[in-house]
Amino acid sequence: MEDLTIDDLDNISTGSDDHVQITPAEVIEMMEEAWTNEKFAPEILPNKSEIVDIILDQITTMEENIKKLSSSDFTKSIYQLEVDRLRFLVSSYLRTRLEKIETYVIHILKEEEKRVERGSEKYLTEQEFEFAKEFSFTMEQYFDKMMRFYPGVPADTWSNKIIQPNNNTFVFLKSKKRIEGVPIDEGNAESDLVDIQDGSRVIISYNSVAELVKNGDVHLI
Amino acid sequence: MDPDELEFLGEKVYVSIIPTFNNDGIHLISGDLGPFRASLPVNVPLWVAVSLKRQKKCKIQPPDWMDMQKLEYIKEQEKQSSGFTKMPSDHYMVEAKLLLECAPDDIPRADEVRTIIKDIWDIRMSKIRSSVTKLVKNSDFYAAVDNLTVMEINSVRPILPHALDHLFRMKNTEKTRPTQSSNVSSFLLSKRASTSFHLSPVTSSNTED
């Protein structure tokens, strides 16, 4: 199997400038993790477009190769099956993100704007950002038009009610290393701290572990 | 999460098969498989094994733990222990379901295996139910679930996280509006006094609510 050399994968490498050798199998593993994280996290997570792109490339190459196989070859179905599985993984991941964008569009755009102002890493990809803007524009237009039918209702009532993800929600996670002093969010000012062992599984408020999910120390399950 | 999606993740587990064909190897994106030599065992992901089995191109060697003796032992341990014992595989239900479905002829005493795995699952599920009750009653906002497999965790979703969400919200409302709740309790107390129900002292107004 050929190893891929990936230069621009800073956020999943150890932060060194060296070329990181990552096998496609490892990329698939990262994709699966990104998928479950995205599924269980209440808010939208930083995008993993590098991983998605690598997998899509692999799929395209593999599909070219599959075309060359004769249809009597029984291994063809296995190759095809793998491609289908990966395609499912990627589309389910992207669809989960789109669902979140549609639900929390105003909130997500606001947060993204703040991130741009701060100069920190963007969460949405270019295309997702484009989609979010168009979606919110169309929604605003729609609501404005609808509101004309109800003259009694102040026109901007709906725009003050922003749907936000519930980041207090509870999630199950698996830890990838020993983490000390994770606060247990009980809604009090003072909270108990807990140490999470390497490989252990816990249920905890998403708020307490949001950063750990984003930097990859824990994995939502 | 949909159980099918968990099955998808579980299908990555490797199992040993005995192919009935010769092939120099299958070069998948996720890695190379083979070479395959008829009647020599080789490890492949579960989804490949299932697909080959359906094409009648291999026999599947069940995983070590899918054996009556071992399963009897696991069941006994699970019965005696008050906590959860470690399962031989994080995807034991997925593996059992797929293998028993597509290759019952390759698993010795398949019917008994099916029953005993279901028994183990049932014992664990009843433990899960009682721990969930305990968790919610104590309104703990943290719990370790170390030996639970992903399918078992999924079985308490979304009910447990939702229940905790609600508890969390109630607790927060209590905190942020102390004056209101004390008004309510004094109101209740005065009501009680006026109707002269002062036989038993009212300790907690919340329960009267």
Side-chain angles (χ1 to χ4, degrees):
Chain A
M1 182 172 25
E2 266 179 71
D3 283 353
L4 286 181
T5 310
I6 301 150
D7 306 327
D8 53 354
L9 225 52
D10 304 334
N11 53 339
I12 38 180
S13 75
T14 46
S16 64
D17 292 336
D18 305 352
H19 284 207
V20 196
Q21 296 280 313
I22 299 177
T23 63
E26 284 167 324
V27 178
I28 296 175
E29 204 138 302
M30 288 175 191
M31 187 72 244
E32 283 168 352
E33 198 175 304
W35 177 54
T36 49
N37 279 349
E38 198 68 65
K39 267 198 167 288
F40 296 129
E43 60 169 350
I44 198 153
L45 296 174
N47 73 75
K48 299 277 181 199
S49 58
E50 310 97 332
I51 302 177
V52 172
D53 288 345
I54 295 170
I55 296 206
L56 290 180
D57 274 355
Q58 294 279 331
I59 291 179
T60 321
T61 323
M62 189 51 96
E63 280 185 327
E64 287 301 311
N65 292 341
I66 291 175
K67 272 186 209 149
K68 290 177 206 150
L69 288 174
S70 85
S71 49
S72 59
D73 192 345
F74 78 93
T75 59
K76 190 172 180 174
S77 69
I78 305 240
Y79 287 115
Q80 188 59 50
L81 195 53
E82 189 188 38
V83 166
D84 292 344
R85 288 171 63 86
L86 290 178
R87 205 180 277 282
F88 161 75
L89 185 64
V90 173
S91 17
S92 177
Y93 167 75
L94 294 175
R95 226 180 289 129
T96 310
R97 290 179 65 85
L98 286 182
E99 269 167 35
K100 283 187 192 172
I101 293 175
E102 289 188 5
T103 316
Y104 310 119
V105 63
I106 298 173
H107 174 80
I108 286 178
L109 281 175
K110 266 193 186 159
E111 291 293 306
E112 190 75 355
E113 217 169 90
K114 279 187 214 158
R115 276 188 285 270
V116 173
E117 271 170 29
R118 277 203 307 266
S120 49
E121 186 202 358
K122 285 188 202 163
Y123 281 12
L124 302 185
T125 64
E126 293 272 321
Q127 296 99 312
E128 281 168 342
F129 187 63
E130 212 43 50
F131 172 77
K133 274 198 303 195
E134 262 171 54
F135 186 82
S136 89
F137 178 71
T138 336
M139 197 178 70
E140 265 168 55
Q141 252 186 345
Y142 172 72
F143 273 120
D144 284 341
K145 271 187 192 149
M146 285 307 286
M147 280 310 175
R148 280 186 218 146
F149 292 105
Y150 303 97
V153 186
D156 56 348
T157 320
W158 66 271
S159 59
N160 294 330
K161 300 214 190 304
I162 297 174
I163 306 172
Q164 287 188 10
N166 171 18
N167 283 349
N168 291 323
T169 193
F170 285 79
V171 290
F172 289 95
L173 63 85
K174 183 175 171 185
S175 173
K176 288 194 274 183
K177 62 183 203 190
R178 194 186 141 75
I179 303 156
E180 286 176 24
V182 179
I184 302 175
D185 190 350
E186 301 197 4
N188 322 352
E190 78 282 4
S191 44
D192 292 340
L193 298 180
V194 65
D195 294 347
I196 301 178
Q197 302 300 323
D198 183 8
S200 72
R201 297 170 174 202
V202 300
I203 178 169
I204 194 166
S205 157
Y206 177 75
N207 259 346
S208 316
V209 293
E211 282 314 309
L212 299 172
V213 172
K214 286 172 197 167
N215 69 24
D217 286 346
V218 301
H219 172 195
L220 299 184
I221 52 172
Chain B
M1 201 181 222
D2 199 328
D4 287 345
E5 292 171 327
L6 288 179
E7 190 174 303
F8 173 85
L9 289 172
E11 281 170 342
K12 275 201 352 173
V13 180
Y14 274 74
V15 288
S16 168
I17 60 163
I18 300 171
T20 55
F21 58 93
N22 288 309
N23 182 289
D24 288 335
I26 301 180
H27 308 286
L28 294 174
I29 300 172
S30 52
D32 295 355
L33 304 177
F36 300 89
R37 294 283 163 263
S39 74
L40 280 183
V42 55
N43 280 332
V44 297
L46 189 53
W47 62 268
V48 175
V50 169
S51 164
L52 288 173
K53 178 71 190 179
R54 292 218 169 104
Q55 299 175 52
K56 303 212 172 15
K57 293 212 173 288
C58 74
K59 270 172 78 79
I60 294 177
Q61 293 189 305
D64 287 346
W65 57 266
M66 214 177 275
D67 164 82
M68 274 315 279
Q69 235 178 350
K70 295 219 169 86
L71 288 168
E72 294 276 11
Y73 178 74
I74 293 173
K75 183 179 167 185
E76 219 34 60
Q77 291 285 306
E78 193 64 56
K79 257 192 198 162
Q80 278 163 20
S81 146
S82 58
F84 295 91
T85 59
K86 183 146 184 62
M87 284 287 108
S89 156
D90 197 18
H91 295 285
Y92 75 102
M93 275 310 258
V94 171
E95 283 175 69
K97 178 185 167 257
L98 287 173
L99 292 182
L100 288 167
E101 195 177 271
C102 83
D105 48 328
D106 294 340
I107 300 165
R109 301 160 78 184
D111 283 334
E112 288 168 71
V113 167
R114 192 192 311 269
T115 318
I116 197 165
I117 292 179
K118 183 74 175 53
D119 287 349
I120 296 171
W121 168 263
D122 287 343
I123 298 171
R124 289 171 70 88
M125 285 317 283
S126 89
K127 281 189 197 171
I128 290 178
R129 277 192 291 272
S130 53
S131 7
V132 164
T133 320
K134 216 166 103 192
L135 192 70
V136 173
K137 270 189 184 152
N138 295 347
S139 50
D140 285 337
F141 292 122
Y142 168 84
V145 290
D146 279 320
N147 285 339
L148 288 188
T149 65
V150 278
M151 190 64 100
E152 289 156 351
I153 286 178
N154 203 51
S155 71
V156 292
R157 197 162 29 210
I159 182 94
L160 176 60
H162 276 189
L164 292 180
D165 275 357
H166 281 285
L167 283 173
F168 187 88
R169 269 180 222 185
M170 286 192 260
K171 208 166 173 180
N172 264 3
T173 338
E174 243 170 67
K175 286 269 145 50
T176 50
R177 284 191 240 159
T179 46
Q180 195 187 2
S181 63
S182 63
N183 284 345
V184 171
S185 56
S186 60
F187 167 75
L188 280 172
L189 280 169
S190 63
K191 258 259 173 144
R192 294 205 148 238
S194 67
T195 44
S196 67
F197 273 126
H198 36 82
L199 286 171
S200 58
V202 182
T203 46
S204 160
S205 59
N206 289 343
T207 50
E208 316 289 324
D209 242 321

